[in-house]
Amino acid sequence: MNNQSIVPILGFAAYSGTGKTTLIEALLPKLTEAGLRIGMLKHAHHNFDVDKPGKDSYRLRKAGASQMLISSRNRYALMTETPEEESEFHYLLSRFDQQKLDVILVEGCKNIAFPKIELHREEVGKPWLHPNDDNIIAIAADSHVSDTSLPQLNINDLDAITQFVLEYVAKGQPSQAAACCDTLSPAFLSVTQGQEKILSLVSTVAETEQVTVEQSYNRVLAQAISSPVNVPQYTNSAMDGFAIRGDDLTQDNYQVIAEVMAGHAYDGELQVGQAVKIMTGAPMPNGADTVVMREQAEHNGDVVTFGDAAIKPGQNVRQAGEDLAVGADVFTQGTRIESPEMGMMASLGFGHCPVVRKLKVALFSTGDEVQAPGSEQKPNTIYDSNRYTIIGMLEKLGCEIIDFGILEDNEQVMIDAIEKASDQADVVITSGGVSVGDADYIKLALDKLGQIDFWRINMRPGRPLAFGQINDKPFFGLPGNPVAVMVSFINFVEPALRKMQGEVDWQPLKVTAIATENLRSRQGRTEFSRGVYELDASGRLLVRTTGKQGSGILRSMSEANCLIEISPAVDTVKAGESVTIIPLQGRI
């Protein structure tokens, strides 16, 4: 969909408590009196409902209507449920009938790239927005800013603000709106933008190998697997009982002519009035197509009766090829092999399977202040924890790890090590020294070796991230704080490594839980808190934080079983409200 609006868009950006709604409510009559036809888009940071319980439309929505259009003589309203994800900004704009409007005013969504007026009151105590947002075209405040060339209005002078809006609309410049409420200022990348950019620049390793099925755990299939046999291979009994003919259900009793155990067969043909005692998994005799379970039978000598048992022809029988026919697809290329896949391949007779070769990852820490654990700590040093954290996460992914240890603060030493790492490995990872403002040897070395971008990701923890290519090998420079390293690895390195390993379209599991405490974030960035989720007595999924959330508190990751993800559009999640969590079992 084209993001271009056909009418001007103007936003009012401010922190909560500034009085956006009150100002716009007073401004709208003045603008309409001046002849403007106004569309209004308000972004709410919390759950809301425009309908009243008990009303017909409310009842029908709650009964399951995902879109509810209600119409009367004077107005109509379309209410659309969006439980999966928040609607994108340009999609919301497309809902307006812009042919009948002169301007669309927006309250909220201050992190979207479109023109807006910053509202500011000193008493709120919040920082100014305009120094970090090039999309602000004017300021309406109760104080003066000396270091800006932006037009400045008195926030209490409605006539002046009205005149500014009228002049803006008169220019008639439609606004190129950004894609969604997670789109951030050019100085930052959103988490999604960073992930997409990295994934677009890495490729699956080309080399493959054959491994035995017992050695295949956590490897990725290099080719699709098809069934070489029928599963089941022959028609067999689904339980212990007596096999009879489905066209012979009226007998008072049946003559038991044989007993068939699993792994054996009865070669004769079953005749009318006959039965074969049969065990689960044993092949059905010729002529038999129905099994009566042992619990419904009275067996005396060579005679069996079934009393009042309700017997249906074909019951309790598994047909040959019922699960899989010869040549049927079993696993697609790119499937990660775990215990069920190993068992399935073994059940089909495979002794070996084709997999993508192991990914080689080179890893090192940098800095004279970093010291190897296991030695007596020297003054002014810290023990190296990040390398060991990353090693653990790489082992979870089944990577072959090349550990370069700790490199001293020497530019030539780092250049030599990075070049060696890129020659030996498919990926190079380090931590620390990648902040935009850092003056660090690792940055000097990287600048000379390859094409590396130093990004600021709009997330916490883990804002700094370096990514690029050295000798055509992906390089990840992770932040230095221990928790930030783990969160950055989970969000950016893991998806890239999984793609390089050949795993297709992998996505982390995300579910919704109810917060048991208030959660705060800063609007405009993705917040990842360490959390603990559990089921309550009613089966509801609840989540709480692990406590203090500092980037250096590595214990918070040890205690967590999930990350709590708060989107850039939200600044507060209140206790009792829903929040997205990312379970971590099996990932760290």
Side-chain angles (χ1 to χ4, degrees), residues 224-246:
I225 297 291
S226 300
S227 178
V229 296
N230 282 322
V231 179
Q233 295 187 39
Y234 46 82
T235 300
N236 66 84
S237 175
M239 57 181 55
D240 295 347
F242 294 85
I244 61 175
R245 298 170 60 109

Side-chain angles (χ1 to χ4, degrees), residues 217-331:
Y217 184 80
N218 210 25
R219 303 295 293 274
V220 177
L221 281 173
Q223 299 173 15
I225 297 291
S226 300
S227 178
V229 296
N230 282 322
V231 179
Q233 295 187 39
Y234 46 82
T235 300
N236 66 84
S237 175
M239 57 181 55
D240 295 347
F242 294 85
I244 61 175
R245 298 170 60 109
D247 59 357
D248 182 27
L249 303 181
T250 60
Q251 305 288 334
D252 291 330
N253 54 67
Y254 296 81
Q255 181 186 6
V256 179
I257 60 171
E259 180 175 347
V260 181
M261 308 293 289
H264 300 271
Y266 174 69
D267 294 330
E269 174 126 5
L270 199 67
Q271 303 297 322
V272 172
Q274 294 180 337
V276 168
K277 187 177 182 181
I278 194 166
M279 300 297 116
T280 302
M284 292 291 289
N286 292 331
D289 59 4
T290 302
V291 173
V292 182
M293 69 176 64
R294 184 173 56 190
E295 291 81 359
Q296 294 177 312
E298 289 287 341
H299 184 201
N300 293 303
D302 63 350
V303 175
V304 64
T305 59
F306 304 124
D308 296 329
I311 304 172
K312 295 181 179 179
Q315 69 180 26
N316 302 324
V317 174
R318 297 176 67 226
Q319 301 296 323
E322 181 178 295
D323 293 342
L324 283 173
V326 172
D329 294 335
V330 182
F331 301 122

Side-chain angles (χ1 to χ4, degrees), residues 412-429:
Q412 191 58 48
V413 168
M414 290 186 180
I415 288 175
D416 293 343
I418 295 172
E419 285 187 319
K420 185 177 179 181
S422 63
D423 286 339
Q424 295 183 10
D426 303 300
V427 183
V428 181
I429 301 176

Side-chain angles (χ1 to χ4, degrees), residues 218 336 361 363 385-401 429 431 478-479 481-495 497-498 501 554 557 563 584 586-588:
N218 210 25
R336 187 172 291 272
V361 181
L363 174 66
S385 64
N386 288 348
R387 199 166 95 258
Y388 295 88
T389 299
I390 295 170
I391 285 173
M393 292 189 288
L394 291 173
E395 288 181 344
K396 278 281 188 182
L397 289 169
C399 298
E400 181 180 326
I401 302 165
I429 301 176
S431 66
L478 302 180
N481 286 321
V483 175
V485 162
M486 296 191 76
V487 174
S488 296
F489 187 100
I490 289 167
N491 277 287
F492 302 108
V493 183
E494 181 182 358
L497 297 185
R498 286 180 179 271
Q501 290 174 320
L554 192 53
M557 285 299 292
L563 292 178
L584 294 177
R587 296 184 63 187
I588 62 172

Side-chain angles (χ1 to χ4, degrees), residues 12 24 66 72 110 130 147 149 152 186 200 216 233 278 311 342 348 377 384 407 421 460 470 489 514 516 520 538:
F12 292 86
I24 296 171
S66 60
S72 72
K110 64 175 177 285
H130 65 270
D147 57 350
S149 60
Q152 298 191 50
S200 72
S216 67
Q233 295 187 39
I278 194 166
I311 304 172
M342 293 174 68
L348 297 175
Q377 190 168 17
D384 181 11
L407 303 184
R460 190 176 76 106
I470 297 174
F489 187 100
I514 299 171
T516 61
R520 295 195 60 81
S538 302

Side-chain angles (χ1 to χ4, degrees), residues 69-385:
L69 182 64
I70 182 169
S71 175
S72 72
R73 167 65 182 82
N74 298 310
R75 66 186 57 85
Y76 69 85
L78 175 64
M79 290 166 281
T80 303
E81 305 300 311
T82 58
E84 293 83 10
E85 59 182 351
E86 186 173 358
S87 297
E88 293 186 340
F89 185 70
H90 68 80
Y91 174 78
L92 296 175
L93 292 179
S94 73
R95 302 300 88 190
F96 287 98
D97 184 357
Q98 295 192 27
Q99 299 289 348
K100 297 179 181 179
L101 298 176
D102 299 306
V103 64
I104 296 174
L105 302 182
V106 180
E107 179 185 346
C109 283
K110 64 175 177 285
N111 301 297
I112 300 176
F114 71 99
K116 56 185 79 81
I117 300 172
E118 177 179 1
L119 306 181
H120 184 90
R121 294 187 189 274
E122 287 295 326
E123 63 182 3
V124 177
K126 295 290 187 179
W128 291 92
L129 297 171
H130 65 270
N132 299 308
D133 188 349
D134 295 335
N135 298 293
I136 290 175
I137 62 173
I139 297 168
D142 56 3
S143 59
H144 185 78
V145 184
S146 58
D147 57 350
T148 182
S149 60
L150 292 172
Q152 298 191 50
L153 309 167
N154 188 322
I155 195 171
N156 298 313
D157 189 346
L158 289 175
D159 291 334
I161 298 174
T162 299
Q163 187 59 37
F164 181 89
V165 175
L166 292 173
E167 292 175 0
Y168 171 80
V169 175
K171 295 176 183 177
Q173 296 297 318
S175 300
Q176 182 74 22
C180 68
C181 289
D182 290 356
T183 302
L184 305 155
S185 68
F188 295 89
L189 288 175
S190 71
V191 172
T192 300
Q193 288 169 335
Q195 290 168 336
E196 291 175 347
K197 191 169 183 179
I198 290 171
L199 287 174
S200 72
L201 295 172
V202 300
S203 302
T204 299
V205 169
E207 296 84 4
T208 64
E209 60 185 354
Q210 291 279 335
V211 297
T212 62
V213 170
E214 58 263 37
Q215 295 175 325
S216 67
Y217 184 80
N218 210 25
R219 303 295 293 274
V220 177
L221 281 173
Q223 299 173 15
I225 297 291
S226 300
S227 178
V229 296
N230 282 322
V231 179
Q233 295 187 39
Y234 46 82
T235 300
N236 66 84
S237 175
M239 57 181 55
D240 295 347
F242 294 85
I244 61 175
R245 298 170 60 109
D247 59 357
D248 182 27
L249 303 181
T250 60
Q251 305 288 334
D252 291 330
N253 54 67
Y254 296 81
Q255 181 186 6
V256 179
I257 60 171
E259 180 175 347
V260 181
M261 308 293 289
H264 300 271
Y266 174 69
D267 294 330
E269 174 126 5
L270 199 67
Q271 303 297 322
V272 172
Q274 294 180 337
V276 168
K277 187 177 182 181
I278 194 166
M279 300 297 116
T280 302
M284 292 291 289
N286 292 331
D289 59 4
T290 302
V291 173
V292 182
M293 69 176 64
R294 184 173 56 190
E295 291 81 359
Q296 294 177 312
E298 289 287 341
H299 184 201
N300 293 303
D302 63 350
V303 175
V304 64
T305 59
F306 304 124
D308 296 329
I311 304 172
K312 295 181 179 179
Q315 69 180 26
N316 302 324
V317 174
R318 297 176 67 226
Q319 301 296 323
E322 181 178 295
D323 293 342
L324 283 173
V326 172
D329 294 335
V330 182
F331 301 122
T332 59
Q333 178 181 340
T335 298
R336 187 172 291 272
I337 302 169
E338 295 184 318
S339 304
E341 288 76 22
M342 293 174 68
M344 188 69 187
M345 286 188 288
S347 76
L348 297 175
F350 289 102
H352 293 76
C353 59
V355 297
V356 178
R357 73 156 171 82
K358 279 198 171 186
L359 199 65
K360 298 178 181 179
V361 181
L363 174 66
F364 55 87
S365 297
T366 65
D368 291 340
E369 78 283 5
V370 181
Q371 182 179 336
S375 59
E376 184 177 349
Q377 190 168 17
K378 300 175 183 178
N380 308 313
T381 65
I382 58 173
Y383 284 122
D384 181 11
S385 64

